[in-house]
Amino acid sequence: MPIFTASLGSVSRTNIAFHSHLFACDITSQNHHHYHQQQQHFSSSITSVNGSRTNPPSVLRFPFFSGCCSAKRAAFFAPKVSVSSDSAAKAVGVDQEQSLSPEDVRQDRRSADWKAARTYNERGLIFEGRVEGFNGGGLLIRFYSLVGFLPFPQLGPSHSCKEPNKSIQEVARALTGSVIPVKVIQADEVSRKLIFSEKEALWSKFSHQINVGDVFQARVGSVEDYGAFLHLRFPDGHYHLTGLVHVSEVSWDLVQDVRDVLSEGDDVRVKIINIDRDKSRITLSIKQLEEDPLLETLEKVMPQDASSSPDYSENSYEIEPLPGLEIIFQELLQEDGIKDVKINRQGFEKRVVSQDLQLWLSNVPPIGDQFTLLARAGRQVQEILLTTSLDQEGIKRTLQRVLERVP
């Protein structure tokens, strides 16, 4: 970008008398003090033809720019200098054809603003941008003399959570004219791509307030095959950050389709189980706020009266499998990774929970490659030892397949 100079009679790129800093977009240092320094520097730089110092013409004006941190910025016009002598103009080498046209000024201002946008992008700075309008894909954001684009997926969650019945177009219309915090995530002057994200700005503002283990009220946003995105409600009542609940963290039960458990707009409690601050990602869990129903032993499944003791039998060769369990064993042994299935012991409850056969995997830590299953029907509860090379999730999927095959 050319350095603009001012000399007596015109503004020139070649005859340097005053180095203007108006387009040096130093975001952290430009202020009114700089402006007065520039004015003093300019005054001391204007000389007459014979070398003596002259007072600057009264028609010369340089509008002050507060720098790139101001949401509004005055228009820049080429300065005008009146001269009384053609010979004086010739003496300082004035070339009228080199004077700046309004289009030159506009182009240089745009170039300076693209430079500012790249600086915002590189430094990760937050810009307070005015919403100029919207289209089918997102918002139009004013960035000084430029207008950039904020895709709807990069919009913060509070807008839709505040008025969940509104469409995204209605939300965008309501935002027009307002100012929102954004980050520049792409600034390509050649391809004229200036892209913003409100989500990234909110991450910078609020991510330091969250930690692993924190519990939040959350609202379900979108639901996908692999999980659901939930918006976290902060103490100020707004939903600032979004996290993912993977399908495996929705419930202790095996969930085939997240949509069977969660729907858009549901309010749930979640626990933060991981934060990737480099990638701005939050991992959430719903099931870890509930007691794991699989953390059960034979003793826990069978509540007994205080005056009586559980009735256990540990001679597995004398134990008859519960009705329907034998065929399940046969099907399990046909599955890859299942080496052996046998009944270890059984007990009898004082009450009947269900006459139907129930089978589930206990989350009791395995011993080597041996896991524990529990089966219950009527008053009987049987503990089953499953020898397998599968992990816990693999066993759950295997049990699900087998139970779907068995009538």
Side-chain angles (χ1 to χ4, degrees), residues 107 110-111 114 146-148 186-195:
Q107 181 58 47
R110 285 193 292 268
S111 294
W114 276 109
L146 308 175
V147 175
Q186 186 178 359
D188 189 337
E189 184 176 2
V190 176
S191 61
R192 293 293 188 267
K193 288 185 178 179
L194 181 56
I195 311 299

Side-chain angles (χ1 to χ4, degrees), residues 5 21 28-29 31 55 61 63 70 77 148 151-152 163 169 171 196 251 272 280 302 305 351 359-360 362 380 391:
T5 65
H21 298 283
T28 61
S29 65
N31 51 35
N55 293 324
R61 297 290 185 270
S70 173
F77 300 97
F152 284 137
E163 298 178 286
Q169 296 292 328
V171 170
F196 297 101
S251 172
I272 297 177
S280 305
M302 300 186 307
D305 294 336
R351 54 183 172 75
L359 179 67
W360 66 97
S362 172
Q380 281 183 279
D391 60 12

Side-chain angles (χ1 to χ4, degrees), residues 231-369:
H231 309 311
L232 304 182
R233 188 175 185 270
F234 278 70
D236 63 2
H238 295 289
Y239 298 82
H240 294 302
L241 301 179
T242 300
L244 172 67
V245 175
H246 189 265
V247 60
S248 63
E249 291 294 329
V250 172
S251 172
W252 289 110
D253 297 327
L254 183 64
V255 177
Q256 297 284 11
D257 190 341
V258 185
R259 297 170 184 84
D260 293 337
V261 182
L262 297 174
S263 300
E264 184 175 346
D266 288 350
D267 289 320
V268 296
R269 290 176 72 244
V270 294
K271 181 180 181 179
I272 297 177
I273 59 174
N274 187 57
I275 302 173
D276 188 334
R277 299 191 184 276
D278 293 332
K279 296 182 178 179
S280 305
R281 292 178 181 173
I282 305 171
T283 305
L284 306 170
S285 176
I286 296 174
K287 75 178 187 181
Q288 291 192 27
L289 290 175
E290 303 169 356
E291 184 180 357
D292 185 353
L294 302 180
L295 284 172
E296 294 177 336
T297 62
L298 191 62
E299 292 83 3
K300 186 174 180 180
V301 171
M302 300 186 307
Q304 302 290 326
D305 294 336
S307 59
S308 62
S309 59
D311 182 8
Y312 297 135
S313 173
E314 298 189 4
N315 298 319
S316 59
Y317 59 88
E318 296 178 356
I319 300 175
E320 288 290 329
L322 293 171
L325 199 55
E326 191 169 2
I327 189 170
I328 291 175
F329 287 177
Q330 294 171 1
E331 291 292 329
L332 280 172
L333 290 171
Q334 295 179 20
E335 291 285 328
D336 292 337
I338 304 296
K339 301 175 183 177
D340 187 35
V341 186
K342 66 178 182 180
I343 298 173
N344 183 48
R345 57 180 181 157
Q346 73 173 355
F348 296 89
E349 295 188 87
K350 295 295 184 182
R351 54 183 172 75
V352 174
V353 177
S354 173
Q355 294 291 354
D356 297 329
L357 176 65
Q358 298 175 331
L359 179 67
W360 66 97
L361 170 67
S362 172
N363 205 26
V364 173
I367 301 174
D369 58 355

Side-chain angles (χ1 to χ4, degrees), residues 75-147:
F76 181 77
F77 300 97
K80 299 178 181 179
V81 180
S82 298
V83 295
S84 58
S85 171
D86 291 338
S87 60
K90 292 177 181 178
V92 294
V94 174
D95 185 349
Q96 297 297 333
E97 292 181 357
Q98 292 183 0
S99 298
L100 289 177
S101 68
E103 180 56 34
D104 288 334
V105 174
R106 284 192 294 270
Q107 181 58 47
D108 287 322
R109 183 177 61 188
R110 285 193 292 268
S111 294
D113 290 344
W114 276 109
K115 180 180 179 181
R118 289 192 296 271
T119 301
Y120 269 84
N121 182 26
E122 292 164 1
R123 298 186 186 178
L125 302 175
I126 296 176
F127 179 79
E128 298 292 330
R130 176 185 171 86
V131 181
E132 294 289 317
F134 64 96
N135 57 28
L139 304 179
L140 305 178
I141 306 294
R142 168 68 61 181
F143 185 86
Y144 302 128
S145 66
L146 308 175
V147 175

Side-chain angles (χ1 to χ4, degrees), residues 164-179:
N165 295 325
K166 282 190 174 182
S167 68
I168 191 64
Q169 296 292 328
E170 290 173 322
V171 170
R173 185 175 292 107
L175 285 173
T176 301
S178 64
V179 174

